[in-house]
Amino acid sequence: MIARLLTAVALVLGSIPAQASAAAGGVWLGRYEELAARIGDSLLQDGDSATLAWGESYVMRSHLDIYRKTGDATWLDTFVRHADAVIGHADDIDGDGYLGWSTSRYSPVESLNPGFETAASGDATLPAGWTRFQDSGSHVHRTTDVPSGTGSRSVRVVSDLTRWKKLHQPVNARYAGGTTHVLRGWGKRTGSVAGRIVVRDGSTTLCRLEYTTSTWTYKETACVLPAGRSPEVWLEHDTYKVSGSAYFDDVKLSGRFPYIVHDAMIGIPIAEFVRLVAQDATLSRYGAKAAAYRAFLEHHIVPRWESSTYLGDTWRPLGADEGVYLQSPKLDTLSHTRPSDELPYNMALAFANLLLVLHSVNGDAAYLDRATRVARWARNDLTTSSGAFTWNYATYTTTKEDVSHANVDLSAFLEFQRQGYVFTASDMAAFKNTFKTRMWNGSTTAPVFSLRVDGTGNADGADSYLHSWLELTDWDPQVKELVAAKYTGFTATNAGHLITLARLAARE
């Protein structure tokens, strides 16, 4: 299906353009190029939607920023290679006919007490939620031998050369119905026996991880749980006829699902490229590629969230002029104890951002209606005090938005303001005031910003993610000066830093 949308997916990704800084000059451009070269294509090797959304999407957006700065179309060629690879990762994992991306990082863990930290009542050697098979504790028990960073307990299964010794528990039956799951965990062995983490439906093995080394090793694999069944997770050795022990820790089974915020974050730079090509006649050589990208977004990513038989219709209008995208009505993709069906602001706003960019190309009235309804929903929830905005992370919590996720919110707010919908220049000035009067510590040489938009909390490094905040320079030049001061002497290492460097370069 992807082949019908794209003429080809570039498997060999080209190098970062080297001539841009010489052509345009500037310290920030040079730093951008250096980090872009170090990141290279590393984020493209992983098709996980979380990696693509919170990493590669920033790389792609930064390429567009640098093209606008330098006019060097080599950056667009690099963008195309990256976008082709990203779309090449899309699949129809849920069988609903729509291509997209997915991850298991945010879904509920369907194995109880996966790190074995909690002991069973009355038996400190048995992890709560687990059942021994053919053992009373002498050969299957908790231990303090753990991999670094996983907690304080693991489990050990010892071979007794006589019969099987195992530990098991049932899988949460909510998802025993054709959903792809990811089984993951740590393991190691001593002696001759190998360790196995197995998901079984009766006598049928659905998926398995095997550990054959004496050092802790992390592994993961995918499997599909059959409909109407109740599989179990088993921890065991591969044979009881040789001596040795198998150790396990952090054993988790989670569904692999699409997330609207990831589809949006990945889709936004692709849509921005489509718009750039549509608005600039000198870029006609990219026309076919832009048309393929547009078709992919319009025929797969956008309708996936209203027409998928797997996810269900996630759109809900609210009143006369507001609306919101909800969590899937068919699946618990974030939590089994969701406090609300509404998504956090950043998730719904990211998709509204995507819709608005696409509307500027296709003029689809439904896209504009959805996008502006979400924008009003968020705008009406902002609180103003002393000329500055504050807002919560979500409608269902009083926890304020954090400096990092606020980049996603602001990206949408800025797009709406620039296109003349819902948000005004005065609103942008209020966001600027949030940054300067609420979040900033007042130092022009060593600026630090709070974790949350109301000025509370220690960001502990998260205040280096400032790319959308930097866009508020259009309402106060000091914003750029503060971000530049933050990045002076700062070692930039990741894609979130890369896009900030790109936007500093755009203003030098």
Side-chain angles (χ1 to χ4, degrees):
M1 191 176 297
I2 296 175
R4 294 197 293 269
L5 295 171
L6 301 175
T7 57
V9 173
L11 299 179
V12 179
L13 300 168
S15 60
I16 298 297
Q19 68 270 40
S21 60
V27 171
W28 296 116
L29 187 55
R31 287 187 59 182
Y32 170 85
E33 288 182 340
E34 188 275 332
L35 180 56
R38 277 196 282 127
I39 293 174
D41 309 326
S42 60
L43 298 174
L44 293 173
Q45 311 312 311
D46 185 354
D48 188 277
S49 69
T51 300
L52 297 177
W54 303 113
E56 178 57 32
S57 76
Y58 294 147
V59 174
M60 291 193 295
R61 290 189 88 172
S62 76
H63 292 337
L64 298 179
D65 289 335
I66 296 301
Y67 165 73
R68 296 186 188 98
K69 163 70 176 177
T70 65
D72 182 357
T74 310
W75 288 105
L76 296 184
D77 296 335
T78 302
F79 175 94
V80 166
R81 289 192 294 271
H82 279 242
D84 282 354
V86 166
I87 295 176
H89 283 304
D91 59 30
D92 185 12
I93 193 171
D94 47 33
D96 63 0
Y98 297 106
L99 297 176
W101 304 277
S102 59
T103 183
S104 62
R105 295 189 199 179
Y106 302 99
S107 59
V109 175
E110 306 304 346
S111 48
L112 301 175
N113 194 20
F116 317 109
E117 298 300 304
T118 304
S121 177
D123 185 353
T125 68
L126 176 67
W130 295 83
T131 302
R132 293 188 180 98
F133 177 76
Q134 297 189 157
D135 188 68
S136 60
S138 58
H139 292 79
V140 180
H141 53 262
R142 296 166 78 218
T143 175
T144 57
D145 184 346
V146 297
S148 176
T150 62
S152 62
R153 294 291 187 274
S154 68
V155 292
R156 181 187 183 198
V157 179
V158 185
S159 173
D160 73 349
L161 304 179
T162 303
R163 59 181 182 171
W164 294 109
K165 303 292 183 178
K166 304 182 182 184
L167 196 65
H168 64 104
Q169 72 167 244
V171 172
N172 189 326
R174 295 171 189 265
Y175 288 137
T179 296
T180 297
H181 280 63
V182 175
L183 174 68
R184 58 197 188 275
W186 290 85
K188 71 171 183 174
R189 73 167 185 186
T190 60
S192 301
V193 71
R196 298 189 303 203
I197 305 173
V198 186
V199 177
R200 287 194 180 94
D201 175 24
S203 61
T204 302
T205 295
L206 302 178
C207 55
R208 180 176 71 185
L209 300 172
E210 189 159 321
Y211 300 90
T212 59
T213 65
S214 60
T215 57
W216 282 106
T217 304
Y218 174 83
K219 292 186 177 182
E220 63 179 50
T221 190
C223 57
V224 177
L225 303 190
R229 306 290 295 179
S230 297
E232 290 189 304
V233 178
W234 290 81
L235 309 180
E236 59 190 40
H237 36 246
D238 65 336
T239 176
Y240 60 78
K241 297 180 180 180
V242 298
S243 62
S245 299
Y247 292 78
F248 306 97
D249 200 10
D250 219 25
V251 176
K252 296 178 179 179
L253 183 70
S254 302
R256 187 176 179 95
F257 300 118
Y259 290 87
I260 194 170
V261 63
H262 293 169
D263 277 4
M265 294 290 288
I266 301 165
I268 286 169
I270 298 173
E272 289 178 337
F273 173 85
V274 172
R275 179 170 63 183
L276 179 67
V277 173
Q279 293 176 346
D280 188 344
T282 67
L283 300 178
S284 59
R285 70 184 180 93
Y286 297 101
K289 186 63 69 174
Y293 293 165
R294 174 179 166 183
F296 174 76
L297 294 173
E298 292 178 350
H299 297 161
H300 291 276
I301 300 303
V302 173
R304 186 185 203 189
W305 296 99
E306 295 189 35
S307 302
S308 168
T309 55
Y310 181 76
L311 295 168
D313 184 0
T314 67
W315 170 253
R316 294 293 182 276
L318 300 174
D321 62 357
E322 293 185 19
V324 67
Y325 285 91
L326 304 174
Q327 296 187 50
S328 167
K330 295 188 173 185
L331 301 165
D332 291 338
T333 59
L334 292 170
S335 171
H336 289 318
T337 56
R338 62 175 75 176
S340 169
D341 287 336
E342 289 189 359
L343 293 168
Y345 289 111
N346 76 89
M347 296 186 184
L349 284 166
F351 202 71
N353 192 345
L354 172 64
L355 291 175
L356 192 61
V357 175
L358 284 172
H359 171 264
S360 65
V361 175
N362 64 21
D364 190 311
Y367 283 31
L368 181 61
D369 178 67
R370 299 285 195 270
T372 53
R373 280 176 174 269
V374 173
R376 292 188 197 98
W377 166 75
R379 175 63 182 83
N380 290 340
D381 286 349
L382 298 175
T383 300
T384 307
S385 177
S386 301
F389 282 139
T390 59
W391 66 104
N392 296 335
Y393 173 74
T395 58
Y396 53 79
T397 181
T398 58
T399 299
K400 299 304 178 186
E401 183 64 288
D402 63 84
V403 61
S404 181
H405 284 102
N407 284 289
V408 182
D409 306 339
L410 286 169
S411 176
F413 299 156
L414 286 157
E415 182 67 38
F416 280 99
Q417 188 275 326
R418 288 164 179 163
Q419 290 202 39
Y421 298 109
V422 183
F423 286 87
T424 66
S426 295
D427 291 333
M428 297 302 109
F431 288 120
K432 177 267 298 181
N433 290 339
T434 300
F435 188 68
K436 287 186 60 178
T437 67
R438 293 299 186 89
M439 299 171 63
W440 175 38
N441 69 344
S443 172
T444 57
T445 56
V448 175
F449 303 96
S450 60
L451 174 63
R452 305 201 179 279
V453 296
D454 64 347
T456 63
N458 179 1
D460 194 24
D463 61 343
S464 60
Y465 301 112
L466 297 169
H467 57 278
S468 291
W469 293 104
L470 179 54
E471 298 290 273
L472 299 174
T473 298
D474 293 345
W475 287 268
D476 188 335
Q478 191 180 28
V479 172
K480 185 249 182 176
E481 295 172 8
L482 295 176
V483 177
K486 183 76 178 178
Y487 270 68
T488 298
F490 171 74
T491 301
T493 60
N494 59 45
H497 300 151
L498 183 71
I499 190 173
T500 306
L501 288 173
R503 293 181 176 180
L504 283 168
R507 288 169 169 75
E508 65 181 344

